[in-house]
Amino acid sequence: MTLLLAAVLGVLLVVLYRLFVSPRQAEGWVAEHFVATDYGLPPREALDSRRAGPPAPAHRRSERQAVADAAWAGDWKGAARYVREAGEDWDERWARLELLQHVAQEDDAWFDAWRAAEPGDCDAATLNASLMVHRAWEIRGSGYAHEVMTSDMERFKAMLPAAIEEARRAALLDPANPGPWVVMITAARGAQYDRARFKPLWEGLVARAPHHYEGHWQALQYWCAKWFGSDRRMMRFARRAVRKAPPGSPLAGIYLHALNELTERSGSDTVPATPRAKSVLKQVAASFDRVDPDDERLPVLRHLLAHYMLRSMMYAPALEQFRLIGPWCGAQPWRKDGNPVAAFETARGTAARLSRTRPAPVPRTHGIGH
């Protein structure tokens, strides 16, 4: 028994050393000796904290601006066509609806004209329901329930049933479209739906779009401990998303959002470093390798993946993620202390040091006559 206890304590000491002592030692080395280019990384002076990843391609930005400008000028038909052209790529279709939501928040005269001209259009009805939910949440704010004024909370709760009914009507206009179901799932937690009432909404979504990214993100919020679930339920939901993520989809990133929720609520960056947890992170990385590099959701997710790999002592895989991220460091994990460049530099330097990766050899130079 004594030998067993000694062995357990030995393992524990090793883990604690790797968790606390090694990273601290590495931080000192980073400050004095780390040369990013030696490890296939962009130099510190090239780091860009303005964004998490490269800007969208110029043609995509131009298309979006053209849609917005035309709508503000009164051309609702262009906006409607823009959404419909996404076809049954439901993630893309939702992203285009979200763009129109932002456009309508600036000026919604064009949207009123669209609804009046096409009262039977599912996309218009879905957008209206989504705007209703967004306006309700603006009143409530993002704080915990006890931080919200009673009057604001009452207005918030009163607005959500109408939004859900609008989404239900939208669902009848196009039974195959998952958009209305995403709206219902989004509103369900604010409307205090218990699990029995939430379940058919979730089933309605996955019957139409089993891998819908935004739908999964909203459901994750429902299953977290601060709403109607628990840490265990949330993580189980997130692991399931990793398992069923199809090739080309960033759906596995839902697991990273779950880890983020877990650590933010606890106030600690410590995550499980168990073989199971590491295996899931490896699965997430493998899934991301099959996602289109131009997918605009991918950079933010890679930052989270690198961050949690580092926290899980997966130093070599974290270093590989930093290589894929490149010079962009304007993402959440590095912004907490107000200096994303310094935090990012320390993180990737720590990954390089503790991964035991050898720096690239310095090319030899030969003098004249040699």
Side-chain angles (χ1 to χ4, degrees):
M1 188 67 179
T2 304
L3 290 174
L4 177 60
L5 180 60
V8 171
L9 287 173
V11 171
L12 180 60
L13 287 172
V14 170
V15 170
L16 290 173
Y17 177 84
R18 295 187 65 190
L19 273 172
F20 300 107
V21 179
S22 294
R24 287 177 185 171
Q25 290 178 340
E27 287 178 16
W29 175 85
V30 172
E32 296 183 15
H33 304 292
F34 177 54
V35 179
T37 52
D38 288 352
Y39 298 89
L41 300 165
R44 178 172 179 144
E45 57 268 24
L47 298 183
D48 189 334
S49 62
R50 294 172 297 173
R51 52 176 61 91
H59 71 276
R60 200 176 298 166
R61 299 199 305 272
S62 298
E63 179 185 43
R64 292 167 180 168
Q65 191 61 54
V67 168
D69 291 341
W72 289 327
D75 178 19
W76 61 265
K77 292 183 179 178
R81 184 169 56 251
Y82 175 66
V83 176
R84 290 170 190 152
E85 285 175 351
E88 294 186 3
D89 182 343
W90 300 119
D91 277 351
E92 176 63 20
R93 194 157 178 151
W94 182 261
R96 295 185 181 198
L97 268 181
E98 284 190 319
L99 172 66
L100 295 189
Q101 178 171 293
H102 291 299
V103 174
Q105 286 168 346
E106 294 288 329
D107 178 357
D108 63 359
W110 64 273
F111 180 53
D112 291 339
W114 181 13
R115 291 186 65 213
E118 296 189 342
D121 186 272
C122 177
D123 291 321
T126 301
L127 180 55
N128 188 49
S130 184
L131 281 165
M132 292 169 71
V133 173
H134 182 81
R135 288 164 184 154
W137 229 279
E138 279 189 330
I139 292 169
R140 183 198 184 281
S142 59
Y144 287 95
H146 69 273
E147 300 171 339
V148 182
M149 292 177 57
T150 302
S151 58
D152 289 343
M153 184 64 81
E154 289 176 351
R155 289 176 64 198
F156 168 69
K157 290 180 179 178
M159 294 172 71
L160 290 176
I164 292 174
E165 284 308 307
E166 177 69 6
R168 289 190 189 279
R169 287 192 289 270
L172 296 175
L173 298 174
D174 182 0
N177 192 327
W181 299 87
V182 177
V183 177
M184 286 186 266
I185 285 171
T186 303
R189 66 182 186 275
Q192 303 290 301
Y193 273 32
D194 61 22
R195 295 168 191 171
R197 297 178 74 193
F198 180 80
K199 183 180 178 182
L201 301 183
W202 175 248
E203 291 175 344
L205 171 66
V206 297
R208 292 160 176 81
H211 309 116
H212 200 287
Y213 186 89
E214 179 66 16
H216 276 76
W217 191 89
Q218 294 295 344
L220 182 77
Q221 300 306 304
Y222 180 89
W223 288 118
C224 74
K226 67 186 178 188
W227 287 99
F228 295 96
S230 63
D231 291 346
R232 183 178 60 83
R233 288 178 181 275
M234 178 183 69
M235 297 310 297
R236 184 173 64 189
F237 177 85
R239 286 192 294 269
R240 189 182 304 122
V242 176
R243 290 196 301 270
K244 68 180 183 180
S249 168
L251 185 63
I254 294 297
Y255 180 75
L256 303 174
H257 287 299
L259 287 179
N260 200 50
E261 172 67 31
L262 200 64
T263 56
E264 281 199 350
R265 196 169 56 80
S266 68
S268 169
D269 270 344
T270 303
V271 295
T274 63
R276 183 189 190 189
K278 292 181 178 183
S279 175
V280 177
L281 288 173
K282 289 178 182 178
Q283 291 173 52
V284 173
S287 183
F288 286 177
D289 287 343
R290 305 176 77 175
V291 177
D292 184 343
D294 288 336
D295 192 306
E296 292 176 62
R297 295 164 291 186
L298 191 56
V300 168
L301 294 174
R302 283 207 187 278
H303 283 283
L304 287 174
L305 179 57
H307 174 67
Y308 286 116
M309 281 182 159
L310 199 60
R311 299 277 74 79
S312 299
M313 300 183 290
M314 300 171 64
Y315 301 118
L319 179 60
E320 179 57 29
Q321 293 304 312
F322 283 118
R323 290 187 179 122
L324 293 167
I325 288 168
W328 315 102
C329 61
Q332 178 189 357
W334 328 118
R335 289 188 171 278
K336 293 179 181 179
D337 295 326
N339 190 339
V341 171
F344 185 75
E345 181 76 348
T346 298
R348 63 185 190 153
T350 299
R353 178 64 168 175
L354 298 182
S355 68
R356 303 183 186 277
T357 301
R358 291 180 178 274
V362 178
R364 289 186 178 183
T365 57
H366 300 282
I368 296 175
H370 287 272

